[in-house]
């Protein structure tokens, strides 16, 4: 059995020889093909227009690598596309670094690569350079992926976590905690009623639509690890403002909320992979909300709170029953409760 | 329970009516104690403290199972995880609880095989899958979890899963209430009694404590409407001067509780003394495996050589758990004691009073 005919990834596939070449030319290149990658050079060479560029990187080590609604491949592409978009940029080119554990089934690898190609097409970005390494069994967990990317920021766009102002409205582009709960239930083999599916999605088209509408946008951020609560704490701290959220307005799917209730998790701290927070001046809020709702991935968007000049750096929640509580930054990982 | 049903217990207009009634009827200054950690969390999460009148102070009691697990028991769990060919299984919120040294999470990082489980039965499954290893379950929690732990021991005994054992640190609620009421300086005008524990114990389990101390007591659930309803009932009992033991959670709690669950519990365990973190030894407040099930006692299987280490100086958790102090009155609170660097039991679990104060403000 050699690397050509074997049905799992072998160390040979990362050795830089014929097997490596075959993996790239037969499995990866046909799916990722574009004028830059096809050159076969050590890096991508491309022209860029004058202006400001955004550059972002992220690594993906999710377990399990396949979950309801996606896999580590499309997650890795969408994640970096979104990070670039949250800088107010239009993502153009991304790189892919693959670290594969010896023994990964070829079929799994192919499925991951296919989904990366599909995600890149959907986002309108090109995978222009990359690298593949294979490590001995036990030295990695199936597959790790790093994606980095660049995008150009249109003239006049200036979004940053430090630009939230008192009076601004906080918009969330859809339901909270979908991704984190999908991953948790898949990882732990927990079965619940309801469709617990990742929300992994590219948000660059939504961002482009908002920014090209002429609406003023102060902050864009995708609330991934740490969820909406932690992300808003970061922004409150960066901008030196306070925030008030309204529990009654927080969008969450009932099955997701049900799992959170059962395990004692606060959905405000659970990861999202296809949602954005937009902080915009009050006079623009309803227009931006309508634009987000018009997007495929923004149908359940809602204004969830406002920026205040009270208690800078703190985020508070007005509870549904009229109480108030602090939404602090998440401390460590949320752990399921005993009872 | 469906979410639509659940939503009725979070209805803002119903909550408003209850809050209005509490404000209207509350004249006496009252110190009410929620015994259960899940109640503590719910009170903070729904912002209940700041919608109650100034006459009412809510205190957190010794009802967070993780918080009251003795430092020595945590040290034992950690020591077991250091043994060769052992898999330690635990409920999630025990992972970060410090003993006198490290935590189970720290041990996992150092290479020990520590696994988080959602049910004690998962631990039995892990034992079946790993016959060459000893699988030890860290048995913590109150009456809510004890029957399932007992059922797992029975299952392991029946199926001859001989590599499964438990390190017992379970505790009982009514003896803790009795101990609390006989502690000098403790002054409580009403107990909000735990809903889930009472599903097992029933109302009857609290009767002797109530008859002895005549403290207004209401069993309730964990939704905001449940808690506000219980507060109103306790206000009315105090205002009328007629203390009672009432059940405001009849959708889940019966007078006699769940006799079958208790039968399973007592088939495997017998009552013994237990050390409570921050409080000390409370007579007849723990559970020990009966002689027939000693083969499942991890404590008897390993030479752990544990030493007693004094609890941290300056920590007021003992007084907080008994309602003698609030977290903000502790000299260590937020200074050296935080959720990331917890010193005492009330900060180690998200359900602890100090953690709830810290996280929810």
């Amino acid at each position: 059995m050699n690397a050509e005919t074997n049905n799992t990834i072998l160390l040979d596939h990362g050795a830089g020889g014929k097997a490596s070449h075959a993996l790239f030319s037969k499995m990866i290149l046909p799916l990722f093909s574009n004028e830059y990658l096809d050159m076969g050079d050590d890096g991508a060479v491309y022209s860029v227009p004058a202006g400001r560029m955004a550059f972002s990187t992220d690594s993906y080590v999710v377990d399990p690598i396949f979950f309801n609604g996606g896999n580590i491949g499309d997650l890795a592409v969408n994640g970096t596309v979104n990070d670039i978009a949250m800088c107010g940029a239009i993502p153009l080119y991304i790189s892919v670094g693959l670290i594969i554990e010896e023994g990964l089934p070829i079929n799994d690898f192919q499925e991951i690569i296919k989904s990366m190609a599909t995600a890149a097409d959907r986002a309108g970005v090109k995978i222009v350079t990359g690298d593949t390494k294979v490590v001995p069994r036990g030295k990695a967990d199936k597959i790790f992926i790093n994606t980095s990317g660049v995008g150009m920021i249109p003239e006049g766009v200036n979004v940053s976590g430090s630009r939230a102002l008192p009076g601004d409205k906080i918009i969330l582009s859809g339901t909270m905690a979908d991704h984190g709960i999908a991953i948790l239930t898949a990882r732990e083999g927990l079965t619940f009623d309801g469709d617990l599916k990742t929300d992994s999605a590219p948000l660059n088209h939504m961002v482009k639509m908002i920014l090209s509408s002429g609406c003023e946008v102060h902050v864009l951020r995708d609330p991934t690890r740490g969820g909406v609560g932690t992300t808003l704490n970061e922004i409150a701290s960066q901008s030196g403002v306070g925030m008030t959220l309204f529990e009654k307005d927080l969008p969450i799917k009932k099955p997701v909320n049900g799992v959170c209730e059962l395990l004692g998790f606060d959905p405000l701290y659970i990861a999202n992979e296809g949602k954005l927070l937009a902080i915009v001046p009050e006079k623009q809020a309803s227009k931006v909300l309508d634009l987000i709702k018009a997007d495929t991935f923004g149908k359940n968007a809602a204004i969830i709170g406002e920026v205040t000049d009270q208690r800078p750096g703190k985020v508070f929640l007005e509870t549904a029953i009229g109480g108030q509580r602090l939404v602090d930054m998440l401390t460590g990982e949320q752990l399921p409760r005993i009872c | 329970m469906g979410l639509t049903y659940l939503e009725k217990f979070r209805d803002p207009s119903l909550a408003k009516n209850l809050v209005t009634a509490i404000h209207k009827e509350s004249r006496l200054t009252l110190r009410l104690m929620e015994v259960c950690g899940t109640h503590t969390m719910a009170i903070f999460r729904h912002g209940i403290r700041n919608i109650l009148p100034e006459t009412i102070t809510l205190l957190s009691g010794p009802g967070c199972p993780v918080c009251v697990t003795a430092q020595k028991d945590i040290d034992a769990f950690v020591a077991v995880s250091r043994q060769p060919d052992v898999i330690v299984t635990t409920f999630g919120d025990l992972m970060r609880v410090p003993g006198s040294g490290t935590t189970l999470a720290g041990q996992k990082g150092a290479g020990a095989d520590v696994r988080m489980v959602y049910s004690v039965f998962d631990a039995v499954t892990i034992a079946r899958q790993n016959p060459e290893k000893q699988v030890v379950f860290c048995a913590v929690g109150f009456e809510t979890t004890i029957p399932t732990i007992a059922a797992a021991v029975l299952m392991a005994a029946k199926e001859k899963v001989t590599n499964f054992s438990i390190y017992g640190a379970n505790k009982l609620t009514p003896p803790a209430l009795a101990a609390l009421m006989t502690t000098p300086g403790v002054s409580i005008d009403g107990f909000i009694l735990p809903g889930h524990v009472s599903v097992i114990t029933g109302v009857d389990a609290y009767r002797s404590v109530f008859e002895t101390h005549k403290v207004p007591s209401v069993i309730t659930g964990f939704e905001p409407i449940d808690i506000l309803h219980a507060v109103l009932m306790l206000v009315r009992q105090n205002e009328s001067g007629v203390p009672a033991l009432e059940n405001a959670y009849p959708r889940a709690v019966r007078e006699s509780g769940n006799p079958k669950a208790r039968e399973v519990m007592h088939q495997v365990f017998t009552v013994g003394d237990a050390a409570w973190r921050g409080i000390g030894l409370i007579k007849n407040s723990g559970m020990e495996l009966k002689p027939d099930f000693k083969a499942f006692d991890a404590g008897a299987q390993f030479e752990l050589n544990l030493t007693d280490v004094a609890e941290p100086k300056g920590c007021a958790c003992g007084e907080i758990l008994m309602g003698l102090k609030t977290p903000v009155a502790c000299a260590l609170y937020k200074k050296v004691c935080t959720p990331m660097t917890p010193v005492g039991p009330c900060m180690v679990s998200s359900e602890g009073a100090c953690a709830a104060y810290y996280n929810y403000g």
Side-chain angles (χ1 to χ4, degrees):
Chain A
M1 185 73 74
N2 62 28
E4 291 276 351
T5 56
N6 198 53
N7 58 6
T8 60
I9 296 285
L10 304 175
L11 288 171
D12 289 354
H13 287 118
K18 283 187 177 177
S20 298
H21 181 74
L23 187 78
F24 176 71
S25 61
K26 291 184 180 171
M27 259 186 242
I28 298 174
L29 191 60
L31 289 165
F32 289 177
S33 178
N34 57 65
E35 63 272 37
Y36 305 105
L37 190 67
D38 294 353
M39 293 295 289
D41 291 330
D42 277 353
V45 178
Y46 47 78
S47 304
V48 289
R52 289 179 304 144
M53 182 182 272
F55 173 46
S56 183
T57 187
D58 207 340
S59 298
Y60 298 83
V61 295
V62 67
D63 173 39
I65 56 174
F66 295 98
F67 39 84
N68 191 8
N71 64 53
I72 192 169
D74 47 37
L75 189 70
V77 172
N78 291 337
T80 286
V81 162
N82 292 345
D83 284 344
I84 298 165
M86 296 310 129
C87 300
I90 295 161
L92 297 171
Y93 307 123
I94 65 172
S95 70
V96 172
L98 302 168
I99 297 171
I100 312 165
E101 183 188 19
E102 176 190 22
L104 179 77
I106 292 280
N107 287 346
D108 287 359
F109 179 70
Q110 278 182 308
E111 192 175 337
I112 289 163
I113 296 296
K114 265 185 208 161
S115 69
M116 292 183 88
T118 305
D121 284 346
R122 193 162 63 155
V125 296
K126 290 176 174 169
I127 297 168
V128 295
T129 186
D131 176 58
T132 305
K133 292 284 187 297
V134 181
V135 296
R137 191 182 282 272
K139 299 292 182 187
D141 187 9
K142 300 177 204 67
I143 185 167
F144 297 153
I145 302 176
N146 172 273
T147 49
S148 301
V150 296
M152 296 306 295
I153 301 171
E155 194 66 41
V157 170
N158 183 15
V159 296
S160 160
S162 60
R163 295 195 66 236
L165 292 171
D168 284 356
K169 295 290 182 187
I170 303 164
I171 301 170
L172 177 64
S173 67
T175 51
M176 293 187 298
D178 295 354
H179 177 74
I181 292 300
I183 294 294
L184 175 87
T185 51
R187 182 189 303 152
E188 304 297 342
L190 302 170
T191 48
F192 293 98
D193 286 344
D195 192 19
L196 301 169
K197 202 171 165 183
T198 181
D199 60 347
S200 175
L203 299 171
N204 54 320
H205 303 306
M206 184 193 289
V207 169
K208 189 177 176 183
M209 194 164 52
I210 298 166
L211 296 176
S212 60
S213 70
C215 288
E216 190 184 348
V217 178
H218 291 159
V219 183
L220 289 171
R221 192 67 69 80
D222 58 339
T224 51
R225 266 181 313 171
V228 170
T230 298
T231 305
L232 287 176
N233 267 278
E234 288 167 2
I235 298 166
S237 186
Q238 271 180 278
S239 296
V241 294
M243 291 180 185
T244 302
L245 307 180
F246 303 106
E247 187 175 42
K248 64 179 174 47
D249 299 325
L250 291 171
I252 183 163
K253 287 177 183 155
K254 283 189 176 183
V256 171
N257 199 29
V259 175
C260 289
E261 292 287 344
L262 196 70
L263 298 176
F265 289 156
D266 188 338
L268 277 166
Y269 296 117
I270 293 177
N272 309 275
E273 287 291 347
K275 300 296 182 317
L276 63 78
L277 285 158
I279 299 182
V280 302
E282 186 178 10
K283 62 181 185 298
Q284 311 267 9
S286 64
K287 188 179 175 188
V288 173
L289 180 66
D290 289 344
L291 287 168
I292 292 173
K293 283 184 161 215
D295 187 273
T296 313
F297 304 116
K299 293 191 177 0
N300 298 310
I303 295 171
I304 61 165
E306 57 198 22
V307 180
T308 72
D309 55 4
Q310 304 295 304
R311 299 170 291 204
K314 300 283 184 197
V315 179
F316 279 83
L317 178 80
E318 296 275 346
T319 69
I321 61 159
Q324 195 181 70
R325 69 159 162 104
L326 180 70
V327 178
D328 201 356
M329 208 171 258
L330 179 63
T331 307
E333 189 187 7
Q334 285 197 101
L335 296 167
R337 285 203 328 253
I338 283 180
C339 62
Chain B
M1 191 192 291
L3 256 285
T4 311
Y5 180 64
L6 187 74
E7 281 161 3
K8 295 198 187 327
F9 291 93
R10 294 183 183 186
D11 182 79
S13 61
L14 197 51
K16 196 178 173 189
N17 291 345
L18 285 164
V19 172
T20 304
I22 291 166
H23 276 259
K24 193 175 158 194
E25 297 181 39
S26 177
R27 291 178 187 81
L28 298 169
T29 300
L30 299 179
R31 291 158 53 83
L32 308 179
M33 177 179 273
E34 84 272 359
V35 173
C36 175
T38 311
H39 274 146
T40 302
M41 281 293 290
I43 285 163
F44 275 95
R45 192 176 158 191
H46 297 291
I48 288 174
R49 267 170 213 265
N50 53 31
I51 54 175
L52 294 177
E54 283 181 8
T55 45
I56 295 171
T57 303
L58 292 180
L59 305 162
S60 304
C64 159
V66 166
C67 305
V68 297
T69 301
Q71 189 171 270
K72 195 169 179 177
D73 287 326
I74 304 290
D75 287 346
F77 302 152
V78 166
V80 170
S81 77
R82 290 186 174 131
Q83 305 294 312
D85 298 322
V86 162
I87 300 170
V88 168
T89 54
T90 175
F91 290 133
D93 47 3
L94 201 62
M95 289 287 283
R96 280 201 292 263
V97 182
S100 58
T102 185
T103 62
L104 285 171
Q107 276 300 105
K108 189 171 188 282
D113 195 344
V114 179
R115 303 186 193 183
M116 193 172 76
V117 293
Y118 289 83
S119 154
V120 60
F121 296 104
D122 295 344
V124 179
T125 303
I126 291 168
R128 275 198 219 99
Q129 293 166 343
N130 296 273
E132 74 292 354
K133 304 258 180 156
Q134 281 295 315
V135 177
V136 179
F137 177 73
C138 303
V140 301
F142 295 108
E143 290 89 339
T144 324
T145 53
I146 300 169
T148 54
I149 295 167
V153 169
L154 288 173
M155 179 198 272
K158 189 179 169 193
E159 296 180 14
K160 298 194 169 42
V161 184
T162 54
N163 62 324
F164 167 78
S165 60
I166 66 164
Y167 196 101
N170 290 112
K171 292 179 176 56
L172 301 171
T173 310
L177 295 181
L180 197 65
M181 293 317 297
T182 54
T183 302
V186 168
S187 157
I188 293 163
D189 303 304
F191 281 122
I192 297 168
L193 294 174
H196 292 160
V197 163
S198 306
V199 169
I200 307 297
T201 64
V203 183
D204 295 340
Y206 305 100
R207 233 168 265 292
S208 81
V209 179
F210 175 76
E211 293 302 336
T212 307
H213 301 284
K214 294 284 188 257
V215 178
S217 303
V218 177
I219 295 166
T220 196
F222 300 95
E223 295 306 320
I225 299 301
D226 290 322
I227 295 166
L228 289 168
H229 184 210
V231 169
L232 181 61
M233 288 165 83
L234 290 170
V235 165
R236 285 176 177 167
Q237 286 188 36
N238 275 282
E239 295 292 338
S240 65
V242 183
L245 169 60
E246 294 183 285
N247 179 11
Y249 199 27
R251 67 183 186 275
V253 176
R254 292 188 298 238
E255 288 292 306
S256 60
N258 183 337
K260 178 70 190 162
R262 289 201 305 279
E263 187 188 316
V264 169
M265 186 166 134
H266 294 298
Q267 194 179 335
V268 173
F269 293 106
T270 183
V271 174
D273 300 343
W276 294 56
R277 192 168 183 160
I279 297 174
L281 192 84
I282 299 179
K283 288 268 179 206
N284 302 320
S285 67
M287 298 250 90
E288 293 169 4
L289 283 164
K290 284 185 167 175
D292 286 356
F293 297 98
K294 279 293 176 190
F296 296 95
D297 183 1
Q301 289 180 24
F302 302 100
E303 287 283 330
L304 299 179
N305 301 317
L306 297 171
T307 51
D308 276 315
V309 179
E311 287 187 8
K313 276 198 167 61
C315 170
C317 279
E319 292 153 291
I320 290 164
L321 291 170
M322 291 189 279
L324 296 167
K325 270 187 180 177
T326 57
V328 289
C330 174
L332 307 186
Y333 177 71
K334 274 195 179 181
K335 296 180 182 77
V336 289
C337 185
T338 72
M340 291 302 281
T341 55
V343 176
C346 302
M347 194 63 94
V348 296
S349 159
S350 60
E351 288 181 26
C354 298
Y357 264 79
Y358 188 100
N359 289 324
Y360 292 134

